[in-house]
């Protein structure tokens, strides 16, 4: 395997900085299953306060956070509405169905990443014993690095309220969305009953997500977290990384977005590459079939790590990608196109 020098595969690949490691080493800890880890409690209280919601729960991953949200909104045999390409529908191993006995009702995405409001509403089942009970609608923002409009989230929220459904946000990269919109996380997440935010993506923590929301949902999530084996003990060591990330790594997300823009502009200069201008830190690059395999293999040989998604290359900027990495990657692309 080639050594990756410039790692654009994902913002999950970041390694904790010296400052973050020090905060982890110095964390005051207790037993979080007993509820007495002061650092975990501080992180949960801080996230709840930041979002202006009742409560929060620290969990090992975004996948578990989304699953806990769905299992807290829904009972056995209920149904959730989500986008056809939503992470919690496609990329979480069907956990809601397997572990929660919850059925997905996927809705196709439009070209701009939103779901058609009429289709969402039409998919909500009437109260009839032929049907699963529709209980919650789940949105994702950012979605593939794209910022979906606040007005769209508000319109879906209006549908949810009118039908007395819950509304969940997979906000794995919600802070990226806020940085791009220049808005604060509290107003961005205001329409939602529950919100999942990842600490281990753009924020640079090694582990962890937080589920934030209404008290009754978080209480139920705590019971389910125990059941799923997500009750950790001296997890203040991990929560300390999250607190450090909130303090040091939120304001700087704009730097990742600026680098993604510079990378996109550089890539767009090569004939044969079709580059989607990024809203945040993810750049998608399309190209002719046949070229992609050769190009990706060439880049790997030059130490440039990327991934593919839906027939396109996916380049992600993050804390461990600096200006020199963007220059180095563009140099490798130049070498390919000669
Ligand atoms: C939008 C979104 N939601 C949830 C997750 C799941 O997070 P984790 O990898 O921590 O389980 C991811 C991971 O990439 C994601 O991109």
């Amino acid at each position: 395997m080639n050594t990756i020098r410039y790692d654009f595969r994902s913002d999950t690949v970041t390694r904790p900085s010296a400052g973050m490691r020090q905060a982890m080493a110095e964390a005051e800890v207790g037993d979080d299953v007993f509820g007495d880890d002061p650092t975990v409690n501080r992180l949960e209280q801080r996230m709840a306060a930041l979002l202006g919601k009742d409560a929060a729960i620290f969990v090992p991953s975004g996948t578990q956070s989304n699953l806990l949200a769905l299992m807290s909104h829904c009972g056995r045999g209920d149904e959730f509405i989500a986008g056809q390409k939503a992470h919690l529908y496609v990329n979480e191993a069907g956990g809601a169905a397997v572990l929660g006995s919850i059925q997905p009702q996927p809705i196709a995405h439009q070209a701009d990443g939103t779901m058609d409001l009429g289709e969402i509403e039409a998919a909500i089942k009437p109260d009839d014993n032929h049907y699963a009970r529709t209980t919650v609608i789940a949105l994702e923002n950012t979605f593939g690095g794209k910022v979906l409009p606040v007005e769209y989230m508000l319109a879906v929220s209006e549908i949810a309220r009118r039908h007395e459904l819950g509304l969940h946000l997979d906000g794995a990269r919600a802070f990226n969305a806020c940085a791009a919109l220049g808005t604060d996380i509290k107003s961005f997440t205001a329409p939602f009953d529950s919100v999942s935010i990842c600490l281990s993506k753009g924020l640079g923590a090694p582990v962890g997500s937080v589920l934030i929301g209404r008290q009754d949902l978080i209480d139920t999530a705590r019971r389910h977290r125990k059941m799923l084996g997500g009750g950790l003990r001296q997890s203040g060591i991990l929560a300390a990384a999250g607190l450090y990330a909130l303090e040091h790594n939120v304001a700087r997300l704009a730097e990742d977005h600026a680098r993604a823009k510079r990378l996109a502009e550089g890539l767009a200069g090569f004939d044969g590459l079709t580059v989607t201008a990024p809203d945040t830190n993810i750049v998608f690059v399309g190209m002719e079939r046949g070229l992609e395999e050769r190009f990706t293999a060439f880049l790997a040989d030059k130490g440039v790590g990327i991934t593919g998604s839906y027939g396109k290359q996916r380049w992600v900027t993050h804390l461990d990608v600096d200006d020199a990495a963007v220059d180095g990657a563009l140099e490798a692309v130049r070498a390919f196109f000669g």
Side-chain angles (χ1 to χ4, degrees):
M1 199 183 136
N2 294 307
T3 308
I4 298 177
R5 288 174 67 199
Y6 310 124
D7 200 345
F8 292 88
R9 288 173 302 164
S10 174
D11 47 11
T12 59
V13 302
T14 56
R15 293 177 172 84
S17 64
M20 184 178 277
R21 284 172 192 261
Q22 191 180 343
M24 295 171 77
E26 291 170 0
E28 203 186 336
V29 295
D31 186 323
D32 182 49
V33 175
F34 286 125
D36 64 15
D37 186 304
T39 309
V40 173
N41 292 343
R42 238 175 353 109
L43 174 65
E44 293 178 348
Q45 285 155 13
R46 175 131 178 71
M47 288 297 277
L50 268 177
L51 271 68
K53 307 231 181 267
D54 299 340
I57 181 169
F58 180 53
V59 297
S61 68
T63 299
Q64 187 173 105
S65 190
N66 280 329
L67 177 59
L68 291 176
L70 293 174
M71 289 175 70
S72 302
H73 280 280
C74 303
R76 192 159 178 264
D78 287 357
E79 167 179 282
F80 67 97
I81 291 178
Q84 185 82 43
K85 292 182 184 170
H87 197 281
L88 58 68
Y89 172 53
V90 181
N91 299 105
E92 299 183 5
V98 177
L99 301 163
S101 299
I102 304 161
Q103 161 173 298
Q105 167 60 72
I107 307 280
H109 295 277
Q110 305 180 107
D112 65 358
T114 63
M115 297 178 271
D116 179 77
L117 298 177
E119 281 188 39
I120 293 177
E121 195 147 11
I124 299 169
K125 308 294 182 294
D127 184 9
D128 174 319
N129 63 21
H130 288 82
Y131 300 122
R133 255 190 314 264
T134 311
T135 310
V136 61
I137 304 173
L139 299 184
E140 183 177 319
N141 207 357
T142 62
F143 172 66
K146 202 172 165 43
V147 180
L148 304 186
V150 169
E151 300 72 44
Y152 164 68
M153 300 200 295
L154 290 172
V156 177
S157 148
E158 190 279 320
I159 294 173
R161 299 296 159 235
R162 195 148 36 76
H163 291 269
E164 298 182 4
L165 307 181
L167 189 64
H168 172 67
L169 177 67
D170 178 355
R173 297 181 178 82
F175 281 110
N176 291 85
C178 290
L181 291 168
T183 188
D184 66 286
I185 193 81
K186 185 172 174 180
S187 51
F188 185 74
T189 57
F192 296 91
D193 302 298
S194 58
V195 180
S196 172
I197 293 186
C198 290
L199 302 167
S200 63
K201 299 196 165 59
L203 300 189
V207 175
S209 289
V210 184
L211 180 66
I212 311 104
R214 236 175 40 217
Q215 189 71 52
D216 61 309
L217 292 170
I218 301 304
D219 290 345
T220 310
R222 204 169 285 281
R223 176 177 288 270
H224 289 317
R225 185 186 69 172
K226 189 78 189 86
M227 183 177 74
L228 294 171
L232 305 177
R233 300 296 178 169
Q234 285 71 43
S235 40
I237 288 175
L238 303 174
L243 283 163
Y244 182 93
L246 290 175
E247 201 175 321
H248 295 89
N249 296 343
V250 173
R252 63 152 306 287
L253 287 170
E255 291 176 33
D256 296 341
H257 299 179
R259 286 199 182 96
K261 188 163 179 282
R262 194 161 76 76
L263 176 69
E265 285 165 358
L267 292 169
F270 297 98
D271 280 346
L273 300 184
T274 313
V275 181
T276 309
D279 286 351
T280 58
N281 66 327
I282 305 182
V283 181
F284 285 98
V285 182
M287 67 205 70
E288 290 165 21
R289 290 183 85 160
L291 179 64
E292 187 179 353
E293 213 169 293
R294 271 193 304 125
F295 184 38
T296 304
F298 181 88
L299 291 175
D301 194 52
K302 297 284 179 209
V304 181
I306 52 170
T307 59
S309 180
Y310 298 111
K312 289 189 170 176
Q313 280 184 341
R314 180 177 180 262
W315 298 65
V316 186
T317 56
H318 50 75
L319 259 166
D320 292 355
V321 161
D322 57 10
D323 286 331
V326 172
D327 292 337
L330 288 173
E331 192 56 46
V333 177
R334 206 165 294 120
F336 178 80
F337 285 99

